[in-house]
Amino acid sequence: MKRSFTYIKPILLIVIVAFLYGFAEKRHKYRIISEINVKFTDTENLYVTEEVVNKLLIQNNSSVSSIDKETLDLNRVESLLNNHNMIENAEVYLTLDGKLEAEVSQRKPIGRVLGNSSFYLDKNGEIMPLSPFYSARVPVMFGFDGSNVAEAYPVLEHIRRDKFLTHHITGVRRLKSGKFLLELRNMDFELYFGDSSNVALKFNNFKAFYKKARKENKLNTYKKVNLQFGDQVVCTKK
């Protein structure tokens, strides 16, 4: 009898452990989500609000307390966020203490088209709708529509990455010829850029011209500065 109990004891122990594990797993599975936390990777400009994200996270349920871990489909919720036209990327996960976390990266506009239809061009070269919550301070674009806005992407992306250009260039105008005219802050002359070829070279030439003309106090003596030739800056005086 004693010998039989020796064999039964480990089996009984396994059964108890399996029961406790199953019970804990069941409780964990049906545990109610205690809190929702939304983190924006860039909080400077909110083109989509935390409230909007929350509504997508709870899948139109009226209360967070009504959602359990079994009901929640993380892949579906993540897809809903990623399909939102103001969100570039979202990652959704559950913490061990029952919190639903979402890390959201917004799309970033680099230019704003004004015309029959208004929209942004984002940093990936794609059309982005205007936000009802925030208006981006980016160069304004004239003469563009959905069919030709991508032409200006190399120019605008270079402006976005350069602090000097971001400060001084306020607009991009597309001429009937398809060439670009850049509008400047607090300067009287026109900046003729040409097409979107040799972007880095043209802007480096412009910065060198600006530095020299400012040092010599001649910025106000020009009515047109032409960068289209790439290897030189051609200036027309007033």
Side-chain angles (χ1 to χ4, degrees):
M1 183 74 178
K2 190 173 180 180
R3 194 170 179 184
S4 298
F5 184 74
T6 304
Y7 289 108
I8 294 171
K9 195 159 116 179
I11 296 173
L12 186 62
L13 183 62
I14 292 171
V15 171
I16 292 172
V17 170
F19 172 78
L20 292 175
Y21 177 81
F23 179 74
E25 179 67 17
K26 187 174 181 180
R27 282 193 63 189
H28 178 75
K29 181 183 287 186
Y30 289 97
R31 188 174 176 182
I32 299 298
I33 293 172
S34 61
E35 186 179 339
I36 290 180
N37 292 323
V38 178
K39 300 175 184 177
F40 290 97
T41 57
D42 183 359
T43 57
E44 289 184 9
N45 307 321
L46 290 180
Y47 303 105
V48 57
T49 64
E50 185 173 337
E51 181 182 359
V52 172
V53 175
N54 275 331
K55 286 181 179 178
L56 291 171
L57 284 172
I58 64 177
Q59 304 176 65
N60 297 319
N61 284 283
S62 58
S63 172
V64 176
S65 62
S66 67
I67 313 172
D68 58 55
K69 292 184 178 181
E70 178 70 10
T71 303
L72 184 66
D73 184 344
L74 287 178
N75 289 332
R76 179 176 178 274
V77 175
E78 202 167 84
S79 294
L80 285 172
L81 291 180
N82 283 318
N83 287 332
H84 192 280
N85 54 25
M86 295 294 169
I87 294 175
E88 181 173 335
N89 184 61
E91 294 183 4
V92 182
Y93 54 91
L94 284 167
T95 63
L96 293 175
D97 56 353
K99 294 178 182 178
L100 182 63
E101 303 273 352
E103 293 187 6
V104 178
S105 299
Q106 301 178 101
R107 296 176 68 184
K108 295 177 178 61
I110 60 175
R112 177 173 179 167
V113 172
L114 293 182
N116 295 330
S117 60
S118 295
F119 54 86
Y120 291 123
L121 182 69
D122 76 3
K123 70 180 184 68
N124 295 317
E126 298 176 355
I127 291 175
M128 171 182 172
L130 301 183
S131 168
F133 305 110
Y134 188 86
S135 181
R137 296 183 63 182
V138 292
V140 179
M141 306 170 68
F142 302 98
F144 292 92
D145 56 34
S147 67
N148 59 28
V149 67
E151 296 174 8
Y153 174 73
V155 178
L156 289 163
E157 177 63 7
H158 197 92
I159 293 171
R160 180 183 77 89
R161 295 175 177 274
D162 189 291
K163 188 174 180 180
F164 172 87
L165 298 175
T166 300
H167 175 73
H168 286 290
I169 297 175
T170 60
V172 179
R173 189 175 295 274
R174 186 180 188 274
L175 305 176
K176 289 182 179 180
S177 63
K179 303 297 178 64
F180 303 142
L181 190 68
L182 306 186
E183 298 184 354
L184 303 169
R185 190 189 315 276
N186 301 325
M187 294 186 207
D188 291 334
F189 58 83
E190 291 183 339
L191 185 61
Y192 189 80
F193 194 83
D195 59 25
S196 58
S197 63
N198 301 315
V199 172
L201 177 59
K202 290 176 182 178
F203 276 131
N204 285 339
N205 287 342
F206 170 63
K207 288 194 284 186
F209 155 79
Y210 178 89
K211 184 177 179 180
K212 184 174 186 297
R214 185 180 181 186
K215 183 177 180 181
E216 297 174 355
N217 199 26
K218 291 182 178 180
L219 283 173
N220 293 326
T221 66
Y222 301 105
K223 67 177 182 180
K224 185 175 182 179
V225 175
N226 194 333
L227 304 175
Q228 71 170 324
F229 302 108
D231 59 345
Q232 61 181 321
V233 178
V234 178
C235 303
T236 304
K237 289 194 174 182
K238 293 180 179 177

